[in-house]
Amino acid sequence: MITNTTALYSKIQPNTLLAELPLLATFNMLLIACSYISITLPFSPVPITGQTFGILLVAMALGRVRGMAVVMAYLLEGAMGLPVFAGGSAGIVKFVGPTGGYLVGFAVSAYMVGYLADKRWDKSFAKTTIAMVLGTALIFVTGLAQLSFFVPAETLFTMGFTPFVPGAIVKIAVASVILPSVWKLVKDMK
Amino acid sequence: MFQQATVMIGQYRPLVSFMHSLDARAKVLPILLVLILLLLTNSWLFSISMLILIACSLYFAGVDKKICQENLKPILYFILFTAGYHLLFSGKETEPLFRLFSFSLYKGAIISAGYYSLRLVLFLSTAFLITLTCSPSQLSEAITKLLRPLKIVKFPLSDFSLLLFISLRFIPILYDEYQTVKNAQQMRGVKYTGSFIKKILNLKSLLIPLLLSAIRRADELADALQARGYDSNKERTFFTTDSFSYRDTSFLILSLVTISLLFYWVG
């Protein structure tokens, strides 16, 4: 099994894959729950969702390997048609549509944020925030890259970037406030 | 916050009907096809015919009006919002129908508002049809079976299906937990109203207990699994052992052919 992670997860580390699965499922579930918080914007095909919040939280809490596994499982569930993506949408076609790049970005971002979490970046507020900003930026990069095939270049940023900056800041703030606190509580729990 | 998730995922109604008696795979595959085709086409006729098909299936699933209303209510605002946006901003290049002060209603706006609302209803009702007529365990079983070919590329299928099953099963419980924590915190005097910043800060008092209780629950579940000697590497057996009967096969073939023909003609 995967060992030597130092993310939040290591504190509550069960020792077999079987013992880990319920926990991974729990985070997967949190991710699904987050995705249902979705605000559609009038001027863009991309909604503000709790998805990115969920991705950042999961990756930061579980670390690189497990965070990535949960995010991949989530994407797979969505691809298979379970209504798990933003606003209850699903289907493999989502990946080739205008917002597909953001979905790909989730996996990439989960890996990177998880990597930083493994490096113990999740223990302080400042480092958590930086990791999350980087993660969000990665999602935007891949998301915008794919969106650019669907919308004219001059409207790309007004559609896929600027409307989400305030939302992204709020999401990052909440996530980075929560994580160090959970760290502390988990330590007390054990 | 999680209300929609509960409504969408944990809404299985155990009824006795034709749709309920079918194997989940026979329902999942046609719906997958419908979803893919809907994204490929802009045809009104195809969308409407699909809506009729889905309405028929819902009727055969023994769904009464009340359940439909209950499930459509949370997405109604979403649909109204989309329609409103298209009425205001779309179709500027088409001819205006009438003018009221500075606002004018375009022909294209009405068309796109109608079309996008229809599409939303379609997407949501297909998901609704599946979750209503297949229990989470049936659905997870169907997915596990449909993904079997992936084992060739060393995909950890049994682990994935367990993860899927736990997620589906526990979402309603997570929602209950959320309500409990919220009530408990409100009794202690936390207010989830007020200014935006305050709301965000108060979210912390909600999310942390929720996260911790979810982690604790997962821990207990892991113990329970280990105590019962669950081994995810063994071939998985299912609680329900419905096999793919000739009824399922004929329904599957008939529906796939109907949908493809409709797409060929009007799509």
Side-chain angles (χ1 to χ4, degrees), chain B residues 136-188:
Chain B
S137 64
Q138 283 172 338
L139 200 61
S140 123
E141 183 188 330
I143 285 168
T144 311
K145 285 176 180 165
L146 285 174
L147 285 181
R148 254 179 206 161
L150 275 181
K151 267 191 173 169
I152 301 166
V153 288
K154 293 258 166 77
F155 178 77
L157 186 60
S158 48
D159 295 330
F160 174 71
S161 70
L162 182 64
L163 190 142
L164 185 68
F165 182 78
I166 296 173
S167 308
L168 285 176
R169 174 64 189 83
F170 278 76
I171 281 176
I173 291 176
L174 187 74
Y175 178 64
D176 282 349
E177 196 86 23
Y178 158 75
Q179 289 289 359
T180 313
V181 172
K182 197 176 172 188
N183 287 341
Q185 296 288 35
Q186 274 174 335
M187 275 175 72
R188 288 178 176 85

Side-chain angles (χ1 to χ4, degrees), chain A residues 16-19 21-23 25-26 28-30 33 40 42 76-77 80 82 93 170 174 177-178 181 185 189, chain B residues 2 39 78 81 85 139 143 147 155 159 163-164 167 170-171 200 204 207-208 211-212 214 216 218 222 226 230:
Chain A
T16 64
L17 177 61
L18 174 64
L21 274 174
L23 197 66
T26 301
N28 184 31
M29 200 162 68
L30 284 171
T40 344
L76 196 60
E77 284 159 20
M80 286 177 329
L82 283 172
V93 257
V170 171
V174 174
V177 163
I178 284 173
S181 321
L185 284 170
M189 204 162 85
Chain B
F2 301 124
L39 282 174
F78 191 58
F81 188 81
Y85 159 67
L139 200 61
I143 285 168
L147 285 181
F155 178 77
D159 295 330
L163 190 142
L164 185 68
S167 308
F170 278 76
I171 281 176
I200 297 291
K204 195 178 152 185
L207 284 177
I208 292 176
L211 204 59
L212 278 180
R216 202 173 290 142
Q226 272 183 318
Y230 189 96

Side-chain angles (χ1 to χ4, degrees), chain B:
Chain B
M1 184 153 108
F2 301 124
Q3 190 145 27
Q4 286 191 19
T6 334
V7 169
M8 296 291 294
I9 292 171
Q11 66 189 170
Y12 172 59
R13 307 269 165 153
L15 296 172
V16 180
S17 79
F18 175 69
M19 288 302 284
H20 281 75
S21 68
L22 286 173
D23 190 286
R25 281 168 289 175
K27 289 176 266 186
V28 170
L29 287 174
I31 281 184
L32 206 63
L33 183 69
V34 170
L35 287 177
I36 292 171
L37 292 180
L38 274 176
L39 282 174
L40 291 177
T41 175
N42 283 321
S43 157
W44 271 90
L45 261 175
F46 183 69
S47 304
I48 290 171
S49 53
M50 283 306 110
L51 194 64
I52 294 170
L53 273 186
I54 290 165
C56 287
S57 327
L58 280 173
Y59 177 75
F60 282 121
V63 179
D64 58 27
K65 240 174 157 180
K66 212 177 134 207
I67 306 176
C68 283
Q69 277 171 353
E70 233 170 70
N71 282 281
L72 281 176
K73 218 187 249 168
I75 55 163
L76 193 67
Y77 298 105
F78 191 58
I79 292 167
L80 284 179
F81 188 81
T82 318
Y85 159 67
H86 281 287
L87 282 180
L88 287 176
F89 300 106
S90 298
K92 292 263 151 105
E93 62 286 341
T94 53
E95 49 178 315
L97 289 180
F98 70 88
R99 212 171 274 275
L100 190 71
F101 305 117
S102 60
F103 171 73
S104 48
L105 192 63
Y106 296 94
K107 201 178 163 195
I110 297 177
I111 292 175
S112 57
Y115 182 71
Y116 281 96
S117 313
L118 179 66
R119 213 168 187 186
L120 261 176
V121 172
L122 267 171
F123 271 83
L124 291 159
S125 53
T126 46
F128 176 50
L129 180 63
I130 286 197
T131 48
L132 198 87
T133 60
C134 314
S135 70
S137 64
Q138 283 172 338
L139 200 61
S140 123
E141 183 188 330
I143 285 168
T144 311
K145 285 176 180 165
L146 285 174
L147 285 181
R148 254 179 206 161
L150 275 181
K151 267 191 173 169
I152 301 166
V153 288
K154 293 258 166 77
F155 178 77
L157 186 60
S158 48
D159 295 330
F160 174 71
S161 70
L162 182 64
L163 190 142
L164 185 68
F165 182 78
I166 296 173
S167 308
L168 285 176
R169 174 64 189 83
F170 278 76
I171 281 176
I173 291 176
L174 187 74
Y175 178 64
D176 282 349
E177 196 86 23
Y178 158 75
Q179 289 289 359
T180 313
V181 172
K182 197 176 172 188
N183 287 341
Q185 296 288 35
Q186 274 174 335
M187 275 175 72
R188 288 178 176 85
V190 181
K191 286 195 177 72
Y192 294 105
T193 48
S195 77
F196 186 67
I197 305 278
K198 215 167 182 185
K199 254 194 242 170
I200 297 291
L201 285 175
N202 282 340
L203 217 57
K204 195 178 152 185
S205 67
L206 195 64
L207 284 177
I208 292 176
L210 196 64
L211 204 59
L212 278 180
S213 79
I215 290 174
R216 202 173 290 142
R217 193 179 293 280
D219 232 16
E220 282 165 16
L221 188 63
D223 287 344
L225 278 173
Q226 272 183 318
R228 283 161 183 76
Y230 189 96
D231 186 352
S232 61
N233 294 322
K234 291 272 158 60
E235 182 70 25
R236 188 156 179 216
T237 57
F238 296 94
F239 182 65
T240 49
T241 49
D242 42 4
S243 52
F244 215 72
S245 69
Y246 76 96
R247 238 158 57 113
D248 300 316
T249 321
S250 42
F251 176 81
L252 181 62
I253 293 172
L254 195 69
S255 54
L256 287 179
V257 168
T258 317
I259 294 163
S260 324
L261 281 181
L262 273 171
F263 182 70
Y264 182 71
W265 284 328
V266 294

